[in-house]
Amino acid sequence: MNLSRRAKESIKTALAMTIAYGIALSMDWDKPYWAGFAVAFVSLSTIGMSMNKAALRVLGTIIGTAVALFLIAHFAQDRWPFVLALSVWVFFCTYMMGGVKHTYFWHVSGFVCAVVAMDAGPDPVHAFQIAVLRSQETGLGIVVYSLVALLLWPVSSRSCFEDSVGKLAASQTLLYQAYLALLHGKSDAEEAQSLRAQLVQDQSRFNELLAAAESDTYEIRESRPAWRRYQALVTDLDETLERWRESFADLQTLDLDQLVPGLDDFGQEIDQRLSHIEHMLAGQAPGHRPATIELAVNRQAIRALPHFHRAAMVVSRKRLHHIESLTRSLFDVVCELRDYAQPDAEHDTPAASSRPLRFLPDPDRTAAAIRVVLILWFAWLTVIYINDIPGGTGLISMAVPIGMILATTPQLSLPMLFTPIMNSVLFAAVIYIFVMPKLSGFTELGPLIFITTFIICYLYAAPRKMLGRAFGLAMFLAIAGISNHQTYSFLAVANTALMFPIIFTVFALTAHIPFSSRPERVILRLLGRFFRSGDYLMSSMERDAGKSTAWLAEWKQAFHSRELATLPQKMTAFARLIDTRDPAGSTSGEVLPLVNRLQALSYRMEELLETRDSLPPEQLVENLLTDFRDWHLGLQKTLQQLALDPGAVDQTAFRHGLDSAMQRLETRTHESLDGLSGDQISVQDRERFYSLLGTYRGVSEALVEYAGSAGSIDWERWREERFA
């Protein structure tokens, strides 16, 4: 019988669930559904992904139970210090959960501590047995599923990983080709943007599968350093391509064929490298080694250009050189991965920062952690002061894990969670009330567990339905309450069903604490932070780049740089949540271009900040210091205005002011620079000057583009208080 992948994975999960319950019941372990939870939540599409998640769940369970035992040992008779200490741990886990590494580990560490603490709190004498029981049943579920996954239709991550590698390489090649055509005016910007979105998806998939493939594929684990270099280089190339595209507007009026006669040859060489990389990853030997290529330019024609056009050429040429370096390094790394000829040069892997690591607080992760602590305290106070509340301490055990997910995933709304949970409760209640009382022995219970698990996994196999799958299995296991001494009570189902409206009422009460969760208000808050960080970084620029600064100033600079780089991505997530049903409000189609302009502004400001390490000589700009200072202060003033009101800048007025400043500085630059001979100023110093000039112009142009997108937003309506 030919079974689909969907059916095979459902059978594997159902079989592991049945075996785990059979072993737990035969050992007369209490709460066997803990083993079922482990099976339900670590069963993923490949062995590597499942093993990674299983390892994180085991470690998280061990740490969570250890912390719970520590709290019970020190605060067994003091419930308020006990909950306060538990809140500190949950706060810490939720904050760490918002990072990019080991998210699931921190989630498990937080909610397992709360679950064990609440189960053992009323009976601290047996706290150690409960903690051990939780750990051993979690281990049982993971071991059983691991054996089933390895023995029955094992699916290695390697095939999925190799497929993702090929798609990522193809997407990067197509994007480069589209950008090169766009530079020559032969491509559509919308097509390039579509390719860019596809590349982001492919890169995210590659990053996810790389860790999984390292777990279940020996060859990939052995080549881990090379794959990590490949990952870093691909990420750097992606960002450099995007920065290069942002400079196209500055080159539109230039005759690139005359100014850069070697551009076609350069572009073909890079295209060939990317194509050969794609072919090598598919198993084909490279046709040739990357040729050393220098981007040839017509210096005489460039010297005839206005100074701002020269600056645009210098900035764009610098980015192309970086693309050349990255593609050469990518080629060498792929040769190493596929065991082709050894590279002739060292890898140009992005260098790690030599500065010591420092803690940089994230306001959004802090706000999410505060919200989860408030959820914990609301649930705790409800249990303490309302007698016979449905669920009892289970109210806390259920509110904390769901609250941690909700607080750290802004894309999830309360209705998106409430509907699948209540549907799952209803489905589990029907089985519990009408089917289970008619069963006798595990010979009848086992098939029920298998069939129910299979149906849930099969119906909710699609990635977009994972919430329904998770809650369906969790509610079935929790409501069924399977044990060797089985009892049936309609009140148990009713209490569980009533518990969730109470929990979601708590979620609703904390939804706007400490900040409003409405997408428009969130974007307004993030915009203010973005422009305040930009203002601080502009104010921190000093003439002497080598001058040492106080540690606090360095810490602030690192914090605001991180804010500038990450806030546009955060705004993108909330821009997609804006309610399009409001005819008077803004749509995501209006907000997403605004966020894209912010991303461009972020790139431009990062480049401007990078010029601090390579400023031109003092004598080269001494006659222009006043003009640069005025321009710098003008940009700061604009950023300060936007921090207070993101729609404060009028595009037409800003464009007129920028054109006037550029014309004035063009004249001053002509007077100061053109009279200097080659003996007085080197080619490198000229390029450093033009790089500085180009980055200032780039920031100003990005602000003009932002002002144009901001003009389509009804900012006053965004600030209105609404009840929805």
Side-chain angles (χ1 to χ4, degrees), residues 97 107 372 400-410 412 417 467 471:
M97 183 183 169
H107 183 214
V372 174
V400 170
I402 300 177
M404 292 176 73
I405 295 174
L406 193 64
T408 55
T409 312
L412 293 178
L417 286 178
L467 276 178
F471 287 128

Side-chain angles (χ1 to χ4, degrees), residues 490-673:
F490 175 77
L491 287 178
V493 178
N495 283 336
T496 303
L498 289 174
M499 180 173 63
F500 286 102
I502 297 173
I503 291 174
F504 276 83
T505 300
V506 173
F507 291 162
L509 290 174
T510 58
H512 299 283
I513 303 175
F515 305 110
S516 172
S517 60
R518 214 178 82 207
E520 295 91 340
R521 300 300 290 272
V522 173
I523 294 176
L524 278 173
R525 188 173 68 253
L526 297 182
L527 281 171
R529 282 168 47 191
F530 180 89
F531 289 118
R532 283 193 295 272
S533 292
D535 173 39
Y536 177 85
L537 291 173
M538 291 289 289
S539 66
S540 68
M541 291 185 66
E542 297 179 358
R543 175 59 196 167
D544 186 4
K547 182 180 178 181
S548 61
T549 56
W551 69 269
L552 181 58
E554 289 186 356
W555 182 86
K556 287 183 178 180
Q557 183 175 320
F559 170 78
H560 290 291
S561 296
R562 200 271 310 276
E563 289 277 274
L564 207 67
T566 58
L567 285 176
Q569 299 175 2
K570 294 179 180 180
M571 281 183 262
T572 300
F574 287 99
R576 304 182 193 278
L577 301 178
I578 292 178
D579 190 358
T580 58
R581 296 171 297 177
D582 186 357
S586 301
T587 65
S588 59
E590 294 173 337
V591 181
L592 285 175
L594 178 80
V595 177
N596 292 335
R597 301 302 183 194
L598 282 175
Q599 183 65 71
L601 178 59
S602 174
Y603 288 148
R604 301 280 194 161
M605 292 196 67
E606 286 177 7
E607 290 176 345
L608 178 59
L609 294 170
E610 289 169 3
T611 61
R612 290 179 299 186
D613 299 327
S614 58
L615 290 174
E618 186 77 30
Q619 67 271 18
L620 183 60
V621 294
E622 59 182 353
N623 296 329
L624 304 173
L625 285 179
T626 302
D627 301 276
F628 272 111
R629 179 174 176 78
D630 291 342
W631 197 346
H632 192 95
L633 293 176
L635 289 176
Q636 274 190 257
K637 182 178 179 182
T638 301
L639 293 172
Q640 292 168 1
Q641 291 174 344
L642 292 173
L644 297 175
D645 180 5
V649 178
D650 178 70
Q651 184 184 29
T652 303
F654 196 82
R655 173 83 266 176
H656 177 73
L658 176 60
D659 290 340
S660 299
M662 288 174 58
Q663 184 176 6
R664 183 170 58 254
L665 191 56
E666 177 74 29
T667 302
R668 297 272 295 148
T669 304
H670 178 75
E671 295 172 353
S672 301
L673 193 63

Side-chain angles (χ1 to χ4, degrees), residues 109 143 184 258 300 414 529 581 594 619 656:
S109 298
V143 169
H184 292 287
Q258 179 187 8
Q300 184 176 357
L414 292 181
R529 282 168 47 191
R581 296 171 297 177
L594 178 80
Q619 67 271 18
H656 177 73

Side-chain angles (χ1 to χ4, degrees), residues 321-334:
H321 281 162
H322 191 46
I323 291 173
E324 190 277 334
S325 174
L326 290 172
T327 53
R328 183 163 21 89
S329 297
L330 268 176
F331 191 98
D332 290 340
V333 170
V334 174

